[in-house]
Amino acid sequence: QKEVEQDPGPLSVPEGAIVSLNCTYSNSAFQYFMWYRQYSRKGPELLMYTYSSGNKEDGRFTAQVDKSSKYISLFIRDSQPSDSATYLCAMSALAGNQFYFGTGTSLTVIP
Amino acid sequence: GAVVSQHPSWVICKSGTSVKIECRSLDFQATTMFWYRQFPKQSLMLMATSNEGSKATYEQGVEKDKFLINHASLTLSTLTVTSAHPEDSSFYICSARPDGSPLHFGNGTRLTVT
Protein backbone atom coordinates (compact mmCIF):
# COMPACT_ATOMS: atom_id res chain seq x y z
CA GLN A 1 0.00 0.00 0.00
CA LYS A 2 1.30 3.43 -0.94
CA GLU A 3 1.84 5.94 1.85
CA VAL A 4 -0.35 8.47 0.05
CA GLU A 5 -3.14 7.76 -2.43
CA GLN A 6 -4.59 10.39 -4.72
CA ASP A 7 -6.99 9.98 -7.60
CA PRO A 8 -5.13 11.17 -10.72
CA GLY A 9 -8.28 12.29 -12.49
CA PRO A 10 -8.44 13.98 -14.90
CA LEU A 11 -11.15 16.16 -13.46
CA SER A 12 -13.03 18.57 -15.67
CA VAL A 13 -15.52 21.12 -14.28
CA PRO A 14 -17.33 24.21 -15.56
CA GLU A 15 -16.21 27.62 -14.41
CA GLY A 16 -17.77 28.56 -11.09
CA ALA A 17 -18.10 24.99 -9.84
CA ILE A 18 -16.91 23.80 -6.47
CA VAL A 19 -14.02 21.38 -6.80
CA SER A 20 -13.15 18.71 -4.28
CA LEU A 21 -9.72 17.09 -4.38
CA ASN A 22 -8.85 14.29 -1.99
CA CYS A 23 -6.02 12.19 -0.64
CA THR A 24 -5.89 9.30 1.76
CA TYR A 25 -2.90 8.14 3.73
CA SER A 26 -1.90 5.17 5.79
CA ASN A 27 0.74 6.50 8.22
CA SER A 28 -0.75 7.81 11.44
CA ALA A 29 2.55 9.60 12.17
CA PHE A 30 1.78 12.19 9.49
CA GLN A 31 1.02 15.48 11.16
CA TYR A 32 1.86 18.02 8.48
CA PHE A 33 -0.37 18.31 5.42
CA MET A 34 0.22 20.38 2.31
CA TRP A 35 -1.41 21.10 -1.02
CA TYR A 36 0.59 22.21 -4.02
CA ARG A 37 -0.55 23.47 -7.40
CA GLN A 38 1.62 22.69 -10.40
CA TYR A 39 1.15 24.31 -13.76
CA SER A 40 2.53 22.57 -16.80
CA ARG A 41 6.32 22.79 -17.04
CA LYS A 42 6.59 24.61 -13.72
CA GLY A 43 7.59 23.64 -10.20
CA PRO A 44 4.91 22.96 -7.57
CA GLU A 45 3.62 26.05 -5.80
CA LEU A 46 2.58 25.78 -2.16
CA LEU A 47 -1.12 26.54 -1.79
CA MET A 48 -1.94 25.60 1.76
CA TYR A 49 -0.54 23.73 4.69
CA THR A 50 -1.88 22.71 8.04
CA TYR A 51 -0.79 20.85 11.13
CA SER A 52 -4.11 19.92 12.61
CA SER A 53 -7.43 18.31 11.96
CA GLY A 54 -10.22 20.57 10.85
CA ASN A 55 -10.58 23.24 8.22
CA LYS A 56 -8.27 26.00 7.09
CA GLU A 57 -9.53 28.61 4.68
CA ASP A 58 -7.63 30.96 2.40
CA GLY A 59 -9.71 32.88 -0.08
CA ARG A 60 -11.40 30.43 -2.43
CA PHE A 61 -9.42 27.50 -1.04
CA THR A 62 -10.27 25.36 1.98
CA ALA A 63 -8.04 22.58 3.25
CA GLN A 64 -9.67 19.94 5.38
CA VAL A 65 -7.95 17.26 7.43
CA ASP A 66 -9.62 14.30 9.09
CA LYS A 67 -6.93 12.42 10.97
CA SER A 68 -9.34 9.81 12.31
CA SER A 69 -10.14 8.75 8.75
CA LYS A 70 -6.65 9.57 7.40
CA TYR A 71 -8.27 11.70 4.74
CA ILE A 72 -7.49 15.20 3.50
CA SER A 73 -9.32 17.39 1.04
CA LEU A 74 -8.85 20.61 -0.84
CA PHE A 75 -11.96 22.52 -1.86
CA ILE A 76 -11.88 25.23 -4.49
CA ARG A 77 -14.90 27.51 -4.60
CA ASP A 78 -15.94 29.51 -7.65
CA SER A 79 -13.36 27.71 -9.76
CA GLN A 80 -11.66 29.72 -12.49
CA PRO A 81 -9.94 28.66 -15.72
CA SER A 82 -6.69 29.82 -14.10
CA ASP A 83 -7.16 27.04 -11.52
CA SER A 84 -6.53 24.50 -14.28
CA ALA A 85 -3.43 22.68 -13.09
CA THR A 86 -2.28 19.53 -11.34
CA TYR A 87 -2.84 19.50 -7.60
CA LEU A 88 -0.51 17.50 -5.40
CA CYS A 89 -1.10 16.60 -1.80
CA ALA A 90 1.91 16.06 0.44
CA MET A 91 2.44 15.10 4.02
CA SER A 92 5.13 14.39 6.56
CA ALA A 93 5.74 13.59 10.16
CA LEU A 94 6.41 16.81 12.08
CA ALA A 95 9.99 16.11 13.02
CA GLY A 96 11.21 14.67 9.76
CA ASN A 97 12.52 15.89 6.46
CA GLN A 98 10.80 13.15 4.53
CA PHE A 99 7.81 14.22 2.49
CA TYR A 100 5.34 11.93 0.81
CA PHE A 101 3.50 13.08 -2.28
CA GLY A 102 0.33 11.98 -3.97
CA THR A 103 0.47 11.34 -7.70
CA GLY A 104 -1.44 14.55 -8.39
CA THR A 105 -4.92 15.27 -9.74
CA SER A 106 -5.18 17.02 -13.07
CA LEU A 107 -7.92 19.65 -13.03
CA THR A 108 -9.37 21.52 -15.99
CA VAL A 109 -11.85 24.36 -15.44
CA ILE A 110 -13.81 25.02 -18.59
CA PRO A 111 -14.86 28.64 -19.27
CA GLY B 1 9.13 34.83 1.55
CA ALA B 2 10.67 31.37 1.06
CA VAL B 3 11.70 31.74 -2.55
CA VAL B 4 13.66 28.99 -4.25
CA SER B 5 15.29 29.89 -7.54
CA GLN B 6 16.41 27.28 -10.05
CA HIS B 7 18.54 27.82 -13.13
CA PRO B 8 18.43 27.15 -16.00
CA SER B 9 14.74 26.60 -16.68
CA TRP B 10 15.53 24.51 -19.70
CA VAL B 11 18.62 23.09 -21.32
CA ILE B 12 19.38 21.01 -24.37
CA CYS B 13 22.65 19.14 -24.48
CA LYS B 14 24.34 16.50 -26.57
CA SER B 15 24.72 12.95 -25.41
CA GLY B 16 27.93 12.48 -23.43
CA THR B 17 28.15 16.02 -22.11
CA SER B 18 27.51 17.19 -18.56
CA VAL B 19 24.92 19.67 -17.39
CA LYS B 20 24.85 21.64 -14.15
CA ILE B 21 21.64 22.83 -12.54
CA GLU B 22 21.69 25.42 -9.75
CA CYS B 23 19.24 25.77 -6.89
CA ARG B 24 19.31 28.80 -4.63
CA SER B 25 17.30 29.75 -1.58
CA LEU B 26 16.91 33.50 -2.01
CA ASP B 27 15.58 34.70 1.33
CA PHE B 28 16.45 31.97 3.77
CA GLN B 29 19.28 29.63 4.58
CA ALA B 30 18.88 25.97 3.78
CA THR B 31 21.13 23.37 5.32
CA THR B 32 19.18 20.78 3.40
CA MET B 33 17.85 20.87 -0.15
CA PHE B 34 16.04 18.19 -2.08
CA TRP B 35 16.32 17.17 -5.71
CA TYR B 36 13.37 15.60 -7.48
CA ARG B 37 12.80 14.20 -10.89
CA GLN B 38 9.42 14.22 -12.57
CA PHE B 39 8.32 12.26 -15.60
CA PRO B 40 5.35 13.44 -17.69
CA LYS B 41 2.06 13.09 -15.87
CA GLN B 42 3.74 11.49 -12.89
CA SER B 43 4.43 12.65 -9.40
CA LEU B 44 7.70 13.78 -7.91
CA MET B 45 10.43 11.24 -7.38
CA LEU B 46 12.98 12.15 -4.73
CA MET B 47 16.47 11.61 -6.10
CA ALA B 48 18.66 12.87 -3.29
CA THR B 49 18.89 15.05 -0.24
CA SER B 50 21.62 17.65 -0.41
CA ASN B 51 23.33 18.53 2.87
CA GLU B 52 25.38 21.68 3.30
CA GLY B 53 29.00 20.84 4.00
CA SER B 54 28.60 17.10 3.73
CA LYS B 55 27.78 14.37 1.26
CA ALA B 56 24.38 14.08 -0.31
CA THR B 57 22.09 11.21 0.55
CA TYR B 58 20.87 9.39 -2.53
CA GLU B 59 17.65 7.41 -2.85
CA GLN B 60 17.82 3.78 -3.79
CA GLY B 61 18.43 3.29 -7.48
CA VAL B 62 19.86 6.76 -8.09
CA GLU B 63 23.43 6.67 -9.36
CA LYS B 64 25.54 9.02 -7.30
CA ASP B 65 28.27 9.11 -9.94
CA LYS B 66 25.75 10.09 -12.60
CA PHE B 67 24.01 12.76 -10.55
CA LEU B 68 26.63 14.74 -8.68
CA ILE B 69 25.34 17.00 -5.94
CA ASN B 70 27.26 19.77 -4.27
CA HIS B 71 25.91 21.92 -1.45
CA ALA B 72 28.74 24.33 -0.85
CA SER B 73 26.86 27.08 0.92
CA LEU B 74 23.68 27.60 2.91
CA THR B 75 21.93 29.05 -0.11
CA LEU B 76 23.21 27.04 -3.06
CA SER B 77 23.00 23.44 -4.15
CA THR B 78 23.98 22.16 -7.58
CA LEU B 79 23.05 19.01 -9.46
CA THR B 80 25.36 17.93 -12.26
CA VAL B 81 24.14 15.31 -14.68
CA THR B 82 27.34 13.72 -15.92
CA SER B 83 27.76 12.06 -19.30
CA ALA B 84 24.12 12.69 -20.04
CA HIS B 85 22.16 10.29 -22.23
CA PRO B 86 18.70 10.60 -23.77
CA GLU B 87 17.18 8.57 -20.93
CA ASP B 88 18.28 11.33 -18.54
CA SER B 89 15.91 13.72 -20.30
CA SER B 90 13.41 14.78 -17.67
CA PHE B 91 12.11 17.59 -15.50
CA TYR B 92 14.36 18.19 -12.49
CA ILE B 93 13.06 20.20 -9.55
CA CYS B 94 14.81 21.32 -6.40
CA SER B 95 13.21 22.28 -3.13
CA ALA B 96 14.11 23.58 0.29
CA ARG B 97 12.35 24.54 3.47
CA PRO B 98 12.86 27.28 6.00
CA ASP B 99 12.90 25.87 9.51
CA GLY B 100 9.52 24.54 10.50
CA SER B 101 7.96 25.36 7.16
CA PRO B 102 6.75 23.21 4.29
CA LEU B 103 8.80 22.54 1.19
CA HIS B 104 9.16 25.30 -1.36
CA PHE B 105 10.07 24.38 -4.89
CA GLY B 106 12.08 25.92 -7.66
CA ASN B 107 10.50 26.28 -11.07
CA GLY B 108 12.22 23.22 -12.42
CA THR B 109 14.71 22.53 -15.20
CA ARG B 110 13.64 20.72 -18.32
CA LEU B 111 16.60 18.74 -19.60
CA THR B 112 16.63 17.36 -23.12
CA VAL B 113 19.55 15.21 -24.16
CA THR B 114 19.91 14.71 -27.90
Side-chain angles (χ1 to χ4, degrees):
Chain A
Q1 185 185 9
K2 284 184 183 178
E3 298 271 9
V4 181
E5 300 272 3
Q6 182 176 10
D7 186 340
L11 190 59
S12 184
V13 301
E15 184 175 352
I18 297 174
V19 176
S20 171
L21 305 166
N22 311 296
C23 289
T24 58
Y25 62 97
S26 56
N27 190 340
S28 58
F30 290 153
Q31 300 289 327
Y32 207 170
F33 304 93
M34 292 141 280
W35 284 97
Y36 291 87
R37 177 175 62 196
Q38 186 176 22
Y39 291 113
S40 181
R41 298 173 183 263
K42 296 288 186 183
E45 168 195 1
L46 179 66
L47 271 180
M48 300 190 71
Y49 66 96
T50 181
Y51 293 100
S52 56
S53 280
N55 292 353
K56 181 178 180 180
E57 191 172 317
D58 184 1
R60 296 186 294 111
F61 298 91
T62 300
Q64 188 176 80
V65 174
D66 182 347
K67 289 183 181 177
S68 62
S69 302
K70 298 191 180 68
Y71 189 89
I72 69 170
S73 300
L74 178 71
F75 298 97
I76 307 174
R77 290 184 300 281
D78 186 25
S79 55
Q80 302 294 309
S82 58
D83 295 328
S84 299
T86 296
Y87 290 80
L88 293 154
C89 64
M91 44 199 82
S92 73
L94 265 179
N97 257 336
Q98 199 163 9
F99 290 79
Y100 296 85
F101 289 87
T103 51
T105 300
S106 174
L107 170 68
T108 300
V109 180
I110 302 167
Chain B
V3 178
V4 176
S5 174
Q6 189 173 340
H7 180 81
S9 55
W10 60 271
V11 58
I12 300 172
C13 71
K14 291 188 176 178
S15 191
T17 62
S18 296
V19 172
K20 181 186 283 188
I21 302 169
E22 290 188 350
C23 181
R24 295 180 185 272
S25 56
L26 295 188
D27 50 1
F28 65 99
Q29 294 183 331
T31 54
T32 304
M33 291 185 175
F34 305 90
W35 288 95
Y36 290 86
R37 185 172 179 175
Q38 188 176 37
F39 292 101
K41 299 190 185 298
Q42 293 190 27
S43 190
L44 304 164
M45 183 189 80
L46 180 65
M47 297 175 64
T49 301
S50 168
N51 303 298
E52 188 267 335
S54 65
K55 290 183 179 179
T57 306
Y58 290 83
E59 295 300 301
Q60 192 172 10
V62 178
E63 298 175 61
K64 60 179 72 174
D65 294 330
K66 159 70 82 175
F67 300 101
L68 297 179
I69 289 173
N70 183 272
H71 194 152
S73 79
L74 287 171
T75 59
L76 174 64
S77 175
T78 60
L79 168 68
T80 301
V81 183
T82 63
S83 186
H85 291 284
E87 58 265 29
D88 298 324
S89 298
S90 193
F91 193 51
Y92 295 87
I93 315 173
C94 70
S95 69
R97 57 184 303 210
D99 286 341
S101 293
L103 281 178
H104 292 265
F105 289 88
N107 251 336
T109 297
R110 183 160 302 281
L111 170 64
T112 302
V113 184
T114 61

